[in-house]
Amino acid sequence: MQFKKQTVRKYTAPDYYGLDDLLSDEYKMIRDASRAWLDEHIMPIIEDCAQQCKSPLHLIPEMGKQGFFGPYIPTEYGGGGLDQIAYGLIMQELERCDSGIRSMCSVQTSLVMYPIYKYGSEAQKKKFLPKLASGEWIGCFGLTEANFGSNPAGMLTHFKDCGDHYLLNGSKMWISNSPFAQVAVVWAKNERGKIHGILVEKGMEGFSTPEIHNKWSLRASITGELVFDNVKVPKENLLPGIAGLKGPLSCLDSARYGISWGAIGAAMTCYDTALQYSLERIQFDKPIASFQLTQKKLAEMITEITKAQLLTYRLGQLKNQDKASTAQISMAKRNNVNMAIQIAREARQILGGMGITGDYPIMRHQMNLESVITYEGTHDIHLLITGHDVTGINAFR
Ligand SMILES: Cc1cc2nc3c(=O)[nH]c(=O)nc-3n(C[C@H](O)[C@H](O)[C@H](O)COP(=O)(O)OP(=O)(O)OC[C@H]3O[C@@H](n4cnc5c(N)ncnc54)[C@H](O)[C@@H]3O)c2cc1C
């Protein structure tokens, strides 16, 4: 695959409250190594990837070597053996580059490797995890259906026990990575209506993964459907360690945690681009950074980024202690993605007409974040999760 290379402006990471002082040398080394690799290999081509609606799939093996797949999965299964803050910092750097690239890596880690590691048999772990960690195989996660997005419990995809195999029927919609994935973690109901995770492999008869086209968002990430037409799935492909909706929801906790770090990365890029541009762009004989209204925008942006950084760092500590609740993770996902999309919009304004071009990364981030604010629980659904948590009253229905 050929992508046009663009010169990338020098990036200065905003760190207004000295968060770096809280990071260990190992964390900083992991973050800086990820940043350097992304700056060299993905940043120069990402705009062209998005313009062409193509993902830089040729870099997947190298991304595996960089440790972008399964950073917190134990090393015995090929993962990085790192903790949650290290995972978060990697997600931040990936999304500083592009939300679609981060999506590919966080689906692989939190929605595919995590359920196999947490709920899979030893044989499943040995078969799938090392290949997923290296990038030899890519996975996807099938929960959403065309008529069941925010309400996945209503899913229609189902399987029946046929003695020596399961027979799977139904379909899934909006599935990141599906058209090029070797394995799909599919959530489906059994004859008693209980939700289970099943590993469906590429090439199984009756299984297809058509691509979804016409996206204006996450254009460097491939999205598709999963269609199951009497797919015979071997019994050993059922995840034995979980039953019920809490299976997929626990995976979403892990993925939403990664998104909360990732969104900061997107916001950091937009802020840094706007700050540099405002210092250089002259109107009325002065840099536009000298106007009070521009300074108000920049001041509010750095304030919101700083608050999100501190929120997420603390969440990382709680996650490392296995104390982060679903509601705490939900709050960070909602707050940080909303923060990032507001910053992208304000940053775009600071760049005036240039802000809508691909010469700068802001418009791409803004459009990407329209997906990020919707997937893994929409902004409003996350408000309801916090509302439920603080009042004890479920307002979902
Ligand atoms: C690019 C992209 C990639 C994705 N990748 C994946 C993936 O890999 N795997 C996967 O399983 N899914 C994936 N999704 C699906 C995503 O998680 C869903 O789009 C999301 O959960 C919302 O579902 P929906 O689109 O059906 O919207 P709906 O559920 O129809 O919601 C529409 C609107 O109604 C609101 N709403 C719904 N219920 C309530 C309520 N009770 N109270 C108040 N408001 C409500 C919502 O907040 C929203 O504003 C992806 C989506 C996109 C766009």
Side-chain angles (χ1 to χ4, degrees):
M1 235 177 286
Q2 278 296 318
F3 293 110
K4 209 163 62 200
K5 285 202 171 166
Q6 198 174 32
T7 309
V8 180
R9 290 163 65 91
K10 193 173 156 6
Y11 170 70
T12 309
D15 184 16
Y16 202 71
Y17 261 47
L19 194 75
D20 263 24
D21 294 347
L22 301 180
L23 300 180
S24 67
D25 288 344
E26 191 192 3
Y27 288 146
K28 283 188 267 199
M29 192 192 73
I30 291 163
R31 179 198 59 196
D32 295 347
S34 304
R35 184 175 293 172
W37 188 86
L38 288 159
D39 277 348
E40 186 180 346
H41 296 278
I42 299 204
M43 280 297 207
I45 58 168
I46 190 62
E47 193 62 42
D48 194 38
C49 295
Q51 295 277 3
Q52 289 194 43
C53 227
K54 292 214 166 89
S55 198
L57 301 182
H58 63 290
L59 291 173
I60 285 176
E62 199 49 45
M63 290 167 80
K65 284 192 194 137
Q66 293 302 315
F68 294 163
F69 304 134
Y72 64 78
I73 298 295
T75 48
E76 63 177 302
Y77 297 114
L82 301 174
D83 73 4
Q84 293 291 324
I85 292 180
Y87 171 55
L89 287 165
I90 293 172
M91 293 300 115
Q92 173 190 291
E93 290 310 310
L94 286 162
E95 195 148 357
R96 180 181 71 84
C97 178
D98 189 79
S99 306
I101 302 298
R102 197 269 309 140
S103 298
M104 174 164 67
C105 299
S106 60
V107 165
Q108 179 91 338
T109 299
S110 287
L111 298 180
V112 180
M113 297 177 74
Y114 173 77
I116 295 174
Y117 170 64
K118 186 95 179 151
Y119 307 124
S121 65
E122 196 52 36
Q124 289 168 343
K125 290 183 209 181
K126 289 205 170 107
K127 174 173 172 185
F128 291 102
L129 292 178
K131 287 199 163 85
L132 290 163
S134 68
E136 188 182 338
W137 284 358
I138 289 291
C140 65
F141 173 88
L143 179 65
T144 305
E145 299 186 359
N147 292 322
F148 298 94
S150 299
N151 176 26
M155 68 173 68
L156 299 177
T157 300
H158 61 281
F159 62 97
K160 101 173 163 205
D161 191 331
C162 292
D164 63 341
H165 64 270
Y166 297 115
L167 199 64
L168 179 67
N169 276 290
S171 62
K172 299 285 174 181
M173 181 80 177
W174 293 117
I175 309 304
S176 304
N177 302 350
S178 83
F180 64 102
Q182 279 76 20
V183 58
V185 176
V186 176
W187 299 95
K189 286 180 178 165
N190 67 10
E191 291 99 327
R192 291 176 301 287
K194 195 83 184 162
I195 295 172
H196 284 272
I198 300 191
L199 305 173
V200 182
E201 296 173 61
K202 193 181 183 136
M204 287 182 173
E205 211 178 319
F207 175 42
S208 57
T209 57
E211 186 171 345
I212 296 174
H213 296 285
N214 269 337
K215 291 185 301 169
W216 282 113
S217 175
L218 290 192
R219 288 164 65 89
S221 158
I222 300 174
T223 319
E225 298 173 49
L226 300 173
V227 182
F228 317 105
D229 179 10
N230 284 320
V231 183
K232 281 187 184 176
V233 185
K235 283 205 153 163
E236 65 262 23
N237 279 28
L238 187 93
L239 293 177
I242 191 77
L245 196 59
K246 62 180 184 294
L249 294 188
S250 67
C251 302
L252 292 177
D253 273 354
S254 176
R256 289 167 179 169
Y257 167 75
I259 293 173
S260 72
W261 281 91
I264 298 175
M268 285 162 101
T269 291
C270 294
Y271 166 78
D272 182 55
T273 307
L275 176 61
Q276 290 185 42
Y277 185 90
S278 70
L279 291 166
E280 288 161 14
R281 174 73 176 163
I282 308 293
Q283 287 294 290
F284 301 95
D285 304 321
K286 293 180 189 166
I288 59 170
S290 64
F291 301 128
Q292 289 183 0
L293 288 175
T294 307
Q295 290 192 8
K296 174 178 185 291
K297 289 187 177 71
L298 293 167
E300 286 174 349
M301 285 183 202
I302 190 64
T303 308
E304 291 309 313
I305 289 173
T306 304
K307 282 154 64 180
Q309 285 171 324
L310 295 171
L311 175 80
T312 311
Y313 179 75
R314 174 65 186 145
L315 184 65
Q317 290 179 324
L318 292 173
K319 214 60 187 72
N320 276 342
Q321 296 160 16
D322 212 12
K323 283 194 205 154
S325 70
T326 294
Q328 286 170 328
I329 294 168
S330 157
M331 178 187 281
K333 190 268 182 185
R334 169 176 54 84
N335 179 76
N336 293 7
V337 178
N338 193 46
M339 171 280 294
I341 205 167
Q342 303 300 342
I343 285 179
R345 285 172 186 156
E346 291 289 78
R348 218 272 326 131
Q349 300 237 36
I350 290 179
L351 267 73
M354 286 311 291
I356 69 147
T357 71
D359 294 354
Y360 295 89
I362 295 174
M363 194 72 188
R364 175 170 49 80
H365 278 297
Q366 187 176 327
M367 294 197 302
N368 283 342
L369 289 162
E370 292 292 344
S371 287
V372 183
I373 204 165
T374 288
Y375 70 22
E376 312 245 358
T378 68
H379 183 77
D380 286 354
I381 291 295
H382 286 296
L383 283 169
L384 296 180
I385 291 175
T386 307
H388 185 189
D389 198 46
V390 297
T391 64
I393 303 167
N394 180 349
F396 284 89
R397 49 179 81 228

